[in-house]
Amino acid sequence: MTWIDFPFYSSITGFLWVLGLIFLVVSYKKQTLIKIAHLLFLLGWAMLITFVVKLWIELDRPPMRTLGETRLWYATFLPLIGFITYIRWKYKWFLAYSILMAAMFLAINYLNPETYSKTLMPALQSPWFIPHVLVYLFSYAVLAASSIVAIKGWYDSYKGNFNIETLKLADNLVYIGFAFLTLGLLFGALWAKEAWGHYWTWDPKEVWAFLTWMGYLIYIHYRHFHNHKTKQALTILALAFVVLLVCWFGVNYLPVANTSVHTYTN
């Protein structure tokens, strides 16, 4: 199992998800079809999980090094978040969004093949590598979902039919994502101590990781102290996600990237 097999697995996964989305849309008129949609989503997800597990075994390392590999984890986590959210709050639109976003990440990987089979450099051969990257990617996926909720909130406000439940959903997603983000930050510090001898060195990647953490902390505090100022809260949430995107991959294109010890793909 290598990335050469990715088109086969991703095509079947994408087909099942598109079919599931069709049944999900029709289920607004005929509720019983939602079960078929769920089944198709789960089958597609199982196909993707199978590919990830087999790829991990084949590479003999966790597939978490390149941007393409991180996109693979996004595609894996997003349906999980969509299902958990649906089970808890019954938002069909959010489940559809999660599946669509996951399919988009698969499509990006399909259209942008890279040389993925790279061995891990010594700094990445740490027991903290897997927990650090996994919790970070999961937190990114959850926080990205919260930003989509924020955009929906803005759209609903513009149309004059804003529902406070939308903001409550964003709050809950931020709480979950922020908890995992904090764990990722702590795991990263422990990893840095082992790899480079320091917990924190204000490396460009670390600076943006801190700014991302602060952005969502500001949102949480703002929501606590200004509970009725919804538009401002939605704006803070959207801006926090922009900072997150810079931290995730934007920092690699900044001039200071050359001074970062977190550059592993070149």
Side-chain angles (χ1 to χ4, degrees), residues 71-263:
R71 286 193 292 263
L72 190 64
W73 285 99
Y74 263 100
T76 305
F77 284 139
L78 279 168
L80 175 65
I81 296 167
F83 266 108
I84 293 174
T85 307
Y86 178 79
I87 292 170
R88 176 65 180 82
W89 292 288
K90 305 299 180 188
Y91 286 115
K92 285 184 181 179
W93 70 268
F94 189 78
L95 177 60
Y97 150 76
S98 302
I99 297 295
L100 279 172
M101 289 296 291
M104 184 192 74
F105 282 117
L106 290 183
I108 292 173
N109 271 4
Y110 184 88
L111 297 172
N112 296 276
E114 299 176 10
T115 304
Y116 294 96
S117 298
K118 299 174 181 176
T119 56
L120 290 178
M121 61 178 61
L124 299 182
Q125 296 174 12
S126 163
W128 294 107
F129 175 53
I130 296 174
H132 169 71
V133 177
L134 273 183
V135 297
Y136 244 110
L137 289 176
F138 184 76
S139 72
Y140 279 10
V142 176
L143 293 171
S146 72
S147 300
I148 295 299
V149 175
I151 293 172
K152 182 180 184 301
W154 263 105
Y155 179 77
D156 289 345
S157 295
Y158 177 75
K159 290 291 184 180
N161 58 352
F162 178 75
N163 187 337
I164 193 62
E165 291 300 318
T166 301
L167 196 54
K168 288 181 179 177
L169 173 60
D171 288 346
N172 289 320
L173 290 172
V174 169
Y175 297 152
I176 296 169
F178 185 75
F180 279 90
L181 194 69
T182 304
L183 277 177
L185 212 59
L186 292 173
F187 290 163
L190 293 170
W191 178 13
K193 175 65 176 176
E194 181 183 288
W196 300 293
H198 301 283
Y199 290 106
W200 195 270
T201 58
W202 295 108
D203 176 273
K205 189 78 171 182
E206 294 170 357
V207 171
W208 282 98
F210 176 73
L211 291 175
T212 304
W213 187 80
M214 283 297 297
Y216 286 100
L217 185 64
I218 290 171
Y219 172 81
I220 291 171
H221 277 261
Y222 193 87
R223 283 288 293 141
H224 180 74
F225 291 107
H226 305 280
N227 194 38
H228 299 294
K229 294 183 178 180
T230 57
K231 284 188 177 181
Q232 291 86 342
L234 291 170
T235 303
I236 293 171
L237 190 53
L239 291 175
F241 185 60
V242 173
V243 177
L244 184 152
L245 290 176
V246 176
C247 181
W248 177 29
F249 62 87
V251 69
N252 296 330
Y253 302 98
L254 297 177
V256 292
N258 295 327
T259 65
S260 176
V261 297
H262 289 80
T263 304

Side-chain angles (χ1 to χ4, degrees), residues 53-68:
V53 171
K54 288 187 174 181
L55 180 65
W56 189 324
I57 294 171
E58 177 65 29
L59 292 176
D60 198 25
R61 65 164 177 82
M64 302 173 181
R65 177 178 174 180
T66 67
L67 275 178

